[in-house]
Amino acid sequence: MQSAQKDHRQDVGEALTSPVQGHLIDGELRAGADFYEVVNPATGRAFALCPSATQQDLDDAAAAARREAPAWRARSAEDRRALIADFADRMVAAAADIAPLLTQEHGKPLEQAKFELTVAAHHMKQLSAIPIGDEVLRDDEAKGRVLMRYHPLGVVGAIAPWNFPIALAMHKVAQALYTGNTLILKPSPFTPLATLAVAALARDVFPAGVINVIAGGNEFGAWMTSHPGIDKITFTGSTETGKKIMASASATLKRITLELGGNDAALVLDDADLDVVVPGLARSAFYNSGQICMATKRVYVADSLHDAFVERLAKAVEQHRLGDGMQANSTLGPLQNVVQFDKVKTYLAGAVARDGAQVKTGGQVSQDGGYFITPTIITGLDDDAPLVREEQFGPVLPVLRFTDVEDAVARINDSRFGLGASVWSRDVERALSVAERLNAGTVWVNRHGVNESEVPFGGMKDSGYGREHGQMGLRSYMELQVISLPPRA
Ligand code: NAD
């Protein structure tokens, strides 16, 4: 049961049902007697029930995944790729049917929900096209041969967040299965339903036990990280949970990949082209209502461009139509859940109350049950404001000035986070020399937040541990074995 999800059924007299048949465990769709309520963030009211999960469900899934691991691993990579492609095609075919469920549980506009499903399918195919074969490290007449063999780890536990429930989960599914592992996936308890609907499609594609999807809560995630039947945890979520997972996984020495929070800065140099910067940052900071790990979360603008930039960015974000994602004209939805809504409201109120702060646009918070905040731009804050220092994960963007580039780099790097950053300039060489001094796992130049399957992604410092995507990410789902041979006779 989710403590954050209030029971509103008495308020509205609705009889709720579940739109999904159950968890996917060992090839069967399973639901017990217990259900919990899933809230629609556009209304703040429960709209559907999701089956609750038990420790027995996890044990059963782990046993099935372990049983199937040898046969799945024995298949060729081409064979596994073909099944992943079949699954991806079924997701695309079902996107229009599943998208309303995703919009209702998440809040994002319907077109963006469909886009998430189809783009996730596209990435699944791309991820499973990356070469993962063995390598010859050395073949030397004098010193002999050394081969690098990459074996699957066994059973992968994937734990996903709520901001892109399908995409972030399905990238993990593709990476784990393609590399020859079997899998147990747990979606966020805030957004379990579309993932369970997608899991029902997987049932018809993969052998029983290869992919298991269970909609457990936070405690279920903790069971996964300490479960002796799981060999690796791939986690995307908050830094605080990531630290707990690292501690818990140590007992069984699980391999872990942690994709955690970020506080990405955009650095707009004095020769930047505002025709490029403004649309780029309007999208990066506000798409998905700012609920993206690699969204732009603070902007540092050269003093000479600051006022023009702020004026143009404010105009750009005022074009958004904030509303229920099920309404055809909405371009921006609510915050996904009440905890996040309260968090962003607190950052906003704290920022507005500071000396010198100016709200250039937005700043309105809905009072009628939905978790809406109008897209907001605030200037005049210092670097110590919590809205600048911490991860807001919402549509409230601080814009700060700088006069000296070195000083701006130091201010940006003075952060516990290191996920992404961007540098904007007409002079790409100049931008590059600044980019390499920013402490972030990815630095984009004249773009922010581009996500590509073949490019490793992950964070420095409190933003993560390891990388996903690309060959490097795929290797993190595999164990290296070195085979050493004498010189050929
Ligand atoms: P969260 O950490 O609260 O939850 C993420 C998942 O972890 C959920 O499935 C949750 O049930 C589970 N969980 C919670 N406690 C657990 C525990 N003790 N053990 C195991 N699992 C547990 O994060 P969230 O609020 O769902 O997601 C938002 C956060 O995710 C933001 O900080 C965002 O930046 C981050 N994020 C990072 C990336 C990235 O790639 N770096 C991508 C998307 C989101």
Side-chain angles (χ1 to χ4, degrees):
M1 303 295 140
Q2 302 313 302
S3 57
Q5 298 188 340
K6 181 174 170 276
D7 185 346
H8 292 268
R9 273 183 302 175
Q10 290 89 346
D11 307 354
V12 293
E14 288 170 0
L16 296 178
T17 56
S18 180
V20 292
Q21 290 180 53
H23 317 285
L24 176 62
I25 300 172
D26 198 6
E28 300 296 329
L29 298 177
R30 180 195 292 186
D34 287 343
F35 290 80
Y36 73 88
E37 295 176 346
V38 181
V39 169
N40 179 343
T43 62
R45 292 198 302 270
F47 78 100
L49 297 176
C50 177
S52 298
T54 66
Q55 207 150 8
Q56 188 63 50
D57 292 330
L58 177 61
D59 288 342
D60 292 348
R66 179 68 58 198
R67 184 196 70 225
E68 288 305 308
W72 183 246
R73 160 193 181 131
R75 290 181 179 234
S76 67
E78 291 69 31
D79 196 5
R80 297 193 296 258
R81 176 184 303 140
L83 290 180
I84 291 166
D86 182 3
F87 178 33
D89 288 341
R90 289 172 194 242
M91 275 174 58
V92 173
D97 293 336
I98 295 175
L101 202 50
L102 182 55
T103 289
Q104 284 174 281
E105 67 180 349
H106 181 278
K108 63 182 66 191
L110 192 56
E111 282 309 310
Q112 292 174 26
K114 273 186 217 156
F115 183 71
E116 181 175 344
L117 283 147
T118 52
V119 166
H122 172 70
H123 281 293
M124 289 167 75
K125 288 185 176 180
Q126 289 210 321
L127 283 164
S128 54
I130 295 170
I132 51 165
D134 297 339
E135 294 164 15
V136 178
L137 179 69
R138 192 179 69 207
D139 190 353
D140 187 296
E141 276 182 21
K143 290 161 96 182
R145 279 191 292 160
V146 176
L147 310 179
M148 311 249 280
R149 289 266 157 91
Y150 292 93
H151 300 294
L153 290 166
V155 178
V156 169
I159 302 177
W162 46 257
N163 58 332
F164 287 94
I166 299 297
L168 293 170
M170 292 305 136
H171 297 170
K172 294 181 187 303
V173 168
Q175 291 177 99
L177 297 187
Y178 173 53
T179 50
N181 301 282
T182 54
L183 169 99
I184 302 167
L185 165 68
K186 185 195 96 59
S188 165
F190 290 112
T191 53
L193 298 171
T195 310
L196 289 183
V198 166
L201 305 174
R203 180 191 182 210
D204 297 332
V205 177
F206 297 99
V210 167
I211 169 171
N212 304 273
V213 183
I214 306 179
N218 294 353
E219 71 297 334
F220 191 95
W223 298 336
M224 287 173 72
T225 61
S226 58
H227 200 286
I230 294 178
D231 301 295
K232 174 191 167 101
I233 294 290
T234 169
F235 170 76
T236 300
S238 65
T239 298
E240 291 61 39
T241 306
K243 288 179 181 174
K244 286 184 200 162
I245 288 175
M246 197 163 186
S248 168
S250 71
T252 46
L253 220 60
K254 285 186 193 3
R255 278 52 180 152
I256 52 172
T257 303
L258 305 175
E259 295 285 359
L260 308 178
N263 190 14
D264 286 19
L267 178 54
V268 183
L269 302 182
D270 57 6
D271 63 347
D273 181 350
L274 291 188
D275 287 345
V276 176
V277 183
V278 170
L281 293 186
R283 180 176 170 81
S284 158
F286 293 97
Y287 189 77
N288 212 39
S289 299
Q291 302 167 117
I292 308 182
C293 57
M294 54 177 157
T296 303
K297 297 189 178 123
R298 49 193 173 129
V299 187
Y300 292 77
V301 189
D303 196 44
S304 59
L305 289 183
H306 178 277
D307 292 353
F309 169 76
V310 169
E311 191 184 324
R312 289 180 60 174
L313 187 69
K315 280 205 182 104
V317 304
E318 283 162 9
Q319 305 304 311
H320 273 298
R321 292 180 301 274
L322 184 66
D324 186 329
M326 294 299 284
Q327 284 165 7
N329 59 351
S330 301
T331 60
L332 210 63
L335 276 296
Q336 196 281 321
N337 61 70
V338 72
V339 181
Q340 190 59 27
F341 183 51
D342 288 345
K343 191 170 120 185
V344 179
K345 279 197 293 186
T346 303
Y347 283 133
L348 174 60
V352 170
R354 289 177 85 93
D355 284 347
Q358 291 185 30
V359 177
K360 293 295 184 181
T361 189
Q364 285 98 40
V365 172
S366 66
Q367 311 289 343
D368 61 357
Y371 308 144
F372 293 98
I373 297 179
T374 50
T376 304
I377 296 169
I378 304 186
T379 60
L381 295 175
D382 55 47
D383 294 329
D384 288 336
L387 179 65
V388 179
R389 284 209 80 74
E390 295 303 327
E391 183 188 38
Q392 69 275 47
F393 219 60
V396 180
L397 182 70
V399 179
L400 303 103
R401 290 175 190 272
F402 72 87
T403 47
D404 176 68
V405 177
E406 291 315 308
D407 183 49
V409 167
R411 287 164 67 193
I412 289 170
N413 284 341
D414 180 20
S415 167
R416 69 188 177 105
F417 295 107
L419 189 61
S422 58
V423 183
W424 302 76
S425 167
R426 283 191 170 89
D427 180 344
V428 171
E429 291 309 313
R430 181 184 179 214
L432 267 177
S433 77
V434 175
E436 62 194 26
R437 281 178 283 140
L438 293 174
N439 299 333
T442 304
V443 185
W444 294 275
V445 171
N446 293 331
R447 59 210 310 217
H448 195 126
V450 177
N451 180 14
E452 293 167 291
S453 302
E454 68 271 34
V455 181
F457 180 74
M460 296 180 179
K461 302 192 272 186
D462 270 10
S463 288
Y465 189 89
R467 295 290 183 272
E468 294 231 282
H469 300 178
Q471 195 179 53
M472 189 178 185
L474 290 163
R475 295 284 193 225
S476 74
Y477 288 80
M478 307 183 88
E479 192 76 87
L480 168 66
Q481 181 187 39
V482 170
I483 309 268
S484 178
L485 299 98
R488 292 170 198 269

